[in-house]
Amino acid sequence: MSGSTPFYQKHHRHYDRGYRSKELESAVSQYQSSSSSSYAARRSSSRASASAALSASSGHVIALHERTTPVPCSYTRLSSSYSDLEESRLSPMPKRAKPTYLAMDKENQIIGYVVPIFRGSHEYASGFSDTEEARVKESAGYMARRNLFTSGLEMERTEQTSRKVSMRESAERISLSKRIYENEEHHKRMNKDSLMHAPEFVIKPRSHTVWEKQCVRLHCTVSGWPDPRVVWYKNNVTIDPMAHPGKYKLESSYNVHSLEISRCDFDDTAQYRVSAMNSKGELSSFASIVVKRFKGEVEEALPMPRHGLISEYGITFDTHIVDGFGVSFGREGETMSLGATVIISPNLARYQPEVQWYRDDVLLQPSKWCHMHWSGDKAMLTLTHLNKEDEGLYTLRITTKSKYETYSAYVFVRDADAEVEGAPGAPLDVKCQDANKDYVIVTWKQPAVDGGSSILGYFVDRCEVGTTHWSQCNDTPIKFARFPVTGLVEGRSYTFRVRAVNKSGMSRPSRVSEVVAAMDPADRARMRGTSAPWTGQIIVTEEEPAEGVVPGRPKELEVTEATKNYVVLSWKPPGERGHEGIMYYVEKCVSGTDSWQRVNTEIPVKSPRFALFDLAEGKAYSFRVRCCNSAGVGEPSEATEATTVGDKLDIPSAPGRVVPTRNTDTSVVVSWEASRDAKELVGYYIEASIVGSNKFEPCNNKPVKGTRFICHGLVTGESYVFRVKALNAAGLSECSQQSEAIEVKAAIASPTPPYGISVLECVRDSMVLAWKQPTFIGGADITGYFVDYREVINGVPGTWHEANVKAVSDRAYRVSDLKENRKYQFQVRAANMAGVGIPSLPSGTFVCEEWTIAVPGPPHDLQVTEVRANTLVLLYKPPVYQGRDPVNGFYIDIKEADAEEEAWRGVNEKAVLTNYMKIKSLKEGETYVFRVRAQNKAGVGKASEPTEPVLAKTKPGTTEIVVDVDDDGVISMNFACSNLTPDSKFVWSKNYEEITDDTRISVATSGEKSKATFNMPAEDDIGIYSCAVTHTDGACSSYTLSAEELKKLLELSHDHKFPIIPLKTELAVELQEKGRIRFWLQAEKISANGKIEYVFNDNSLSQGEKYKMNFNKDTGVIEMIMESLLPEDEGTFTFQLQDGKATNQSSLVLIGDVFKGLQKESAFMRKEWHRKQGPHFVEYLSYEVTPECCVILKCKVGNIKKETVALWYKDGREVKGDEKLTFTEGVLKLEIAQISKKDAGVYEIVLKDDRGQDTSTLNLTEQGFRDLMNEVFSNIANSSTALKIQSTDEGIRLYSFVSYYNEALQVTWHHKDAAIAFTDRIKSGVVGEQLWLQITEPTEKDKGKYAIEFHDGKGGLKRTVELSGQAFDDAYAEFQRLKAAAIAERNRARVAGGLPDVVTIQELKALNLTCNISGEPLPEVVWLKNEREIVSDGHYVMKFEAGKYASFTITTVNTTDSGKYSILVKNKYGTESADFTVSVFSPDSKK
């Protein structure tokens, strides 16, 4: 059961009786067994008292059904609760069942509440008879009447008893609620997946109107699993309490969320939104807060309240929608935004009106498909993913409490490109109807595009919410636009989509339907939480439990839908079905037989709807339904009448006569006669075709229900025919008859009224009026104006009189025959070929009195043309009233359209004399207005009426005048316009006056282009030329022909009349391979018919062995090639070009030294080419000195092969080089490791094979050798290290190391920038790679900067070191130390040698040892034996003679003389010793 339990039941597990706690079970049993008489009496008195009390209440009706078995009131409520729990298992509910139900009267009007009282099973066993019931009712009535007169004591006792019972009931109810909540939370944790569902607002926030400085609180209750995240918004901006401390307070507790706003002010007037979101979806709810101010506190700046409409702040708002969206076209899958600017006056900061968007008069709500935004002055609607469902008439409605304004435009959505060519368009408007537990009917609308072949049918797909897997519901395509989907799982939610198929393939899927849950409609109604209003009546009924009862017959069985593919049955559940869930079996019977066959034998259906498939088309069937539950299968319902399987709904007939009517220059109004006898008509599709194309395109992709439609997006000037198709669920009808052809052009209507009437001049009996052209001229030129006037006497207008019988063409007219000092009003009507329009509003009241002012009157008839992003041209007419003197100039003023009057500023500082002016330096996107003032000698007159606001913006498709000079030299001005209407004309003007004389300029117009050609260009033609196109959106342009521009055009015209062939390069010469001489030039532009003549010294040259000519017509390169230059070729070469009538030539003079140099270079290149045919040197012999000062002779060779040999020679004698040639690199080398003078000589290398030989020589003698050595010396110098200081015992040494030393290297040592003269004290030398300078016994004079200079024949190189200061002191101190150490080492006592290491001597012999002693002063000598000093005596004789020789003698050796002996010498510089060992042996012991 858990697998199929709906999500809304998962948190109501308490419907099972097993859920009861043990404590509660014992309490119930105790109450059931309690039947004492005292309790019965108390029960009777309580019931009677309650009955009487309720009966006495006015307007209250109580229907109480008594029973014989006494049951306490608390148990009645408990058993009612648990009966409700039992019922929830059979009839699932979205939340805990309430004990209160709606009571209906016969007309289904809510009259009160019904409180069911459930009886125990033992009561049901006993039952009531009719007599007993009557008796009980009569007894109850008697007890109730008697109880009215009981004593106060008994009433008090009854009240105490009732209080005890109530307390006990409260305790038990709290205990039960706690257990239910704990169990609910347990199952939530155990079955999260089955409980997950999108957020739902149980209680939505409501709007409030509060006074200023009050606090307000919005609260809502939200359900959903997982627990939704709740965010509050103000005008779609997230509310952050931290950003406004103390202003906002957000609270959330037990799914109740609140927003508290402290001390409200005007800024808090807004729309507030609360959004709840979890993993299953997002839902929002809206509420508004309006903050009002107490009377008397209205700001002085705000207008006082008026009678009539009451607005938010006592103000009447004027609303205007400007810059609205037009008819829009989109394609499926695209994003489209619609927007309009809203002007609300007065303009209050942060005031937000009610903004609503409608599609086809249906209010739109924010969703994932459409987003709405209000920015304070602009309303935006964004359609995030267009589908054909989004097509329709969109209306923006701006509502204030004063008034509302609307703006509408149509949006067309075309089909997206088919995934398969020729496939139909996607179906649209998929909806789910009649949803039940396991069944839903899916409907849709057929697409307008069938892909070129008829649609074979449709496939319906479904997807379970929470998954992305789509499964197909029908195996074969169905043609009916309605399909019953069965086999749904109860409690689960689904979305559906539909695809169309024809012989070419499958269409794209439609937009998915809204989510629908497979559940009982009654449960769905309860989930919506509909509550009844309180009527003051409580009806208490008693419901009979029917557990274990076989259900009765279903009711009202009928065939609701029958097609050739399926039949849909519908019925109502039986009245007798108990509280256990019931299911149904459907049976069918072929008409004329009594054989009933069960259709759904294996799986009973749960819904009172069923669709039967696989019925034989054309046969008649009867159907009946049985109910079943655990108690058994009930009796069948009454059988339906025989139903023949087949489409009951016919395809509608073709619509009638189609009539197109002109509307605008891109749209046509199409009307038609409705289809006759059409059933369940969905709408119509309109198709259009350009005459002659025989290709119809849909005008609408969403069916329209009326019989009139405006087809937009047509091409102006084209002729179209139209046809219409009707559709219903059965399919599309045949096409209607084609309409008559109609050309797309704007319909002609009478013009709208002129406006802006002003007075230009006034005399005693006449006034000159001016006015502005109507905003809409009706699609045809205005033929004239009619002026009316009336006299105003004491503020009361009189009768209108015609001022002119014949229409005037100018927008100015003198009204005559007026009376002086009288007041008049005027009105003007415009006329075109469609008729005379309605008159304008009456002008202001003007007094007819003569003007005597000295300054001129206002200019008039201001027109703005040539509007661009930063410039425009203003045209105006001079004032009618000149003043005392003629007008001598004009001033133009400008200001932003929304700026104050004080913002007017002048454009020109100096008055202009012309009736036009080009205004520059405008800001793109800004809106401006202009006015003009005239001046004369007396001063500047009154300003004209301002122009209409003009937006500084270059319109798309704007073109400019193009000046062209053709091949014949004719100068013309050309202007093109792509937005022509049939009535459009090109009007050319000079200095903004229309050109009517064709003596100087001829005008020719063809199609969308017009050309103005100068007949004889001259100075008289200088001026500003403009071209305007009538009946367009201001298409115009101008061109200024100045004297300089005219001069350029005349030169260009001359070049075109007498053309020359332009050259990219003049004639030039270059040498090619083998010494060939190439003469060439390149023409910039020359046709394939061009001719070339080659001339030398006025003689024509022709193709032959000596001259090779070539002309590349693609590149324009012309060349002539000669093999060599001979002395007779000295002279002038010329190329003459001719292309039609265009000519040109270019010459090159080759004489004298120029010719000889070119001849010599050609001969050399030819010789070189021959040399390179065999092995040759690419790079001749050269040398390279390596960083190791090794000299490498090298050359690079080319065109060698295996047999090629290379021989090296020095001074004519062969030397060994590379034994093998490296063919990849082609480089030959000869290395000289340590070069010296003996290596000087002439080196030669010979390269040869059977193709020839080549020689390269390198002279390394004299200067060549010196240069080589200088490079060697330079490398040596660069390798030298920095000079370093070293102290010795003789003095101070300066030295530097080089990588290689050559004996020929010349170096110079410097001291204080002077060359050092070497002496015995200062010497230099070389040791290995070390170059040194020795300063013996340095003194103070030796301080200073020292340098060693290497000579390399160029600039040389110096290394320096500073020997002074601390450096000298440290070096000198180290010298003294080393010197003293050397002296000490040289003069210390030493044993120079002569003593053996071991002496072996025979006993009784004499031993004499002598050694040399040195040292200064003379050392002291001591002899030791075994570390003890020996004293000279007769046995040991020790001598030290001449200060050099020390002797040691043992006169007679005996065995005691064996041991270790030492001599120790010492003086003041040191001590030294020498050891030897004496071994004495006896002759006898040796033997």
Side-chain angles (χ1 to χ4, degrees), residues 802-822:
E802 293 181 352
N804 60 314
V805 178
K806 185 178 180 181
V808 294
S809 58
D810 292 335
R811 286 191 292 276
Y813 181 71
R814 181 180 295 274
V815 181
S816 304
D817 298 329
L818 302 179
K819 296 179 180 180
E820 188 176 4
N821 296 326
R822 298 288 182 93

Side-chain angles (χ1 to χ4, degrees), residues 144-208:
R145 289 192 300 270
R146 193 188 66 175
N147 196 47
L148 292 173
F149 304 98
T150 53
S151 63
L153 179 62
E154 189 170 354
M155 289 291 292
E156 184 178 357
R157 186 183 305 147
T158 303
E159 184 178 356
Q160 291 176 353
T161 304
S162 298
R163 190 178 296 114
K164 292 178 181 179
V165 173
S166 299
M167 292 175 63
R168 189 181 302 110
E169 289 176 356
S170 298
E172 290 169 351
R173 188 162 52 252
I174 293 172
S175 175
L176 177 60
S177 299
K178 182 178 180 181
R179 296 288 294 178
I180 291 174
Y181 179 80
E182 289 174 352
N183 190 65
E184 176 184 342
E185 292 300 316
H186 169 73
H187 284 284
K188 279 185 181 180
R189 293 188 292 269
M190 297 299 292
N191 299 282
K192 286 184 179 179
D193 292 338
S194 60
L195 282 170
M196 294 177 67
H197 62 281
E200 238 182 287
F201 283 94
V202 180
I203 298 177
K204 297 181 179 180
R206 64 182 183 88
S207 299
H208 291 267

Side-chain angles (χ1 to χ4, degrees), residues 777-1053:
I777 64 175
D781 290 334
I782 292 180
T783 57
Y785 298 92
F786 294 92
V787 181
D788 300 332
Y789 69 93
R790 66 183 178 185
E791 187 177 353
V792 179
I793 302 174
N794 297 326
V796 179
T799 305
W800 287 107
H801 303 279
E802 293 181 352
N804 60 314
V805 178
K806 185 178 180 181
V808 294
S809 58
D810 292 335
R811 286 191 292 276
Y813 181 71
R814 181 180 295 274
V815 181
S816 304
D817 298 329
L818 302 179
K819 296 179 180 180
E820 188 176 4
N821 296 326
R822 298 288 182 93
K823 296 180 180 179
Y824 292 92
Q825 287 183 343
F826 303 90
Q827 67 180 16
V828 183
R829 292 171 292 169
N832 61 9
M833 61 183 299
V836 180
I838 62 176
S840 66
L841 294 174
S843 68
T845 302
F846 304 121
V847 179
C848 183
E849 57 184 1
E850 186 168 2
W851 288 0
T852 59
I853 55 176
V855 295
H860 66 102
D861 200 11
L862 276 64
Q863 298 181 48
V864 177
T865 183
E866 299 178 33
V867 179
R868 302 293 187 265
N870 305 110
T871 62
L872 58 80
V873 174
L874 180 64
L875 309 179
Y876 43 88
K877 292 183 179 179
V880 176
Y881 179 73
Q882 297 285 317
R884 293 180 183 175
D885 299 293
V887 173
N888 58 15
F890 300 92
Y891 291 96
I892 289 84
D893 299 336
I894 183 177
K895 79 176 185 71
E896 288 73 18
D898 55 353
E900 301 294 335
E901 283 295 317
E902 294 78 9
W904 283 105
R905 58 190 182 274
V907 174
N908 54 321
E909 295 180 359
K910 186 177 180 181
V912 294
L913 301 177
T914 59
N915 293 342
Y916 58 87
M917 182 177 182
K918 188 169 186 177
I919 302 173
K920 304 178 181 180
S921 302
L922 301 180
K923 184 178 179 182
E924 185 175 4
E926 188 66 63
T927 304
Y928 299 92
V929 291
F930 305 90
R931 68 183 185 185
V932 183
R933 293 171 293 145
Q935 77 166 8
N936 59 11
K937 290 183 180 179
V940 180
K942 180 182 177 182
S944 67
E945 290 291 322
T947 65
E948 293 299 309
V950 180
L951 176 65
K953 180 180 179 181
T954 303
K955 296 178 180 178
T958 299
T959 56
E960 304 293 345
I961 292 178
V962 178
V963 178
D964 179 55
V965 181
D966 63 12
D967 293 339
D968 296 327
V970 177
I971 303 173
S972 63
M973 297 177 292
N974 302 269
F975 186 64
C977 179
S978 60
N979 300 324
L980 296 180
T981 64
D983 299 323
S984 295
K985 295 180 181 179
F986 290 87
V987 179
W988 286 90
S989 303
K990 180 181 179 182
N991 296 330
Y992 296 99
E993 293 183 2
E994 185 177 353
I995 299 174
T996 57
D997 185 6
D998 58 356
T999 56
R1000 303 206 60 82
I1001 289 183
S1002 300
V1003 177
T1005 301
S1006 176
E1008 297 180 348
K1009 298 180 180 178
S1010 181
K1011 176 186 288 188
T1013 305
F1014 290 96
N1015 298 331
M1016 294 289 292
E1019 291 185 359
D1020 293 340
D1021 295 315
I1022 294 175
I1024 300 175
Y1025 292 87
S1026 61
C1027 182
V1029 185
T1030 63
H1031 295 88
T1032 61
D1033 190 14
C1036 56
S1037 179
S1038 64
Y1039 168 71
T1040 301
L1041 181 62
S1042 61
E1044 295 79 5
E1045 189 71 15
L1046 178 62
K1047 183 179 178 181
K1048 292 179 182 178
L1049 290 175
L1050 290 175
E1051 292 176 355
L1052 185 60
S1053 174

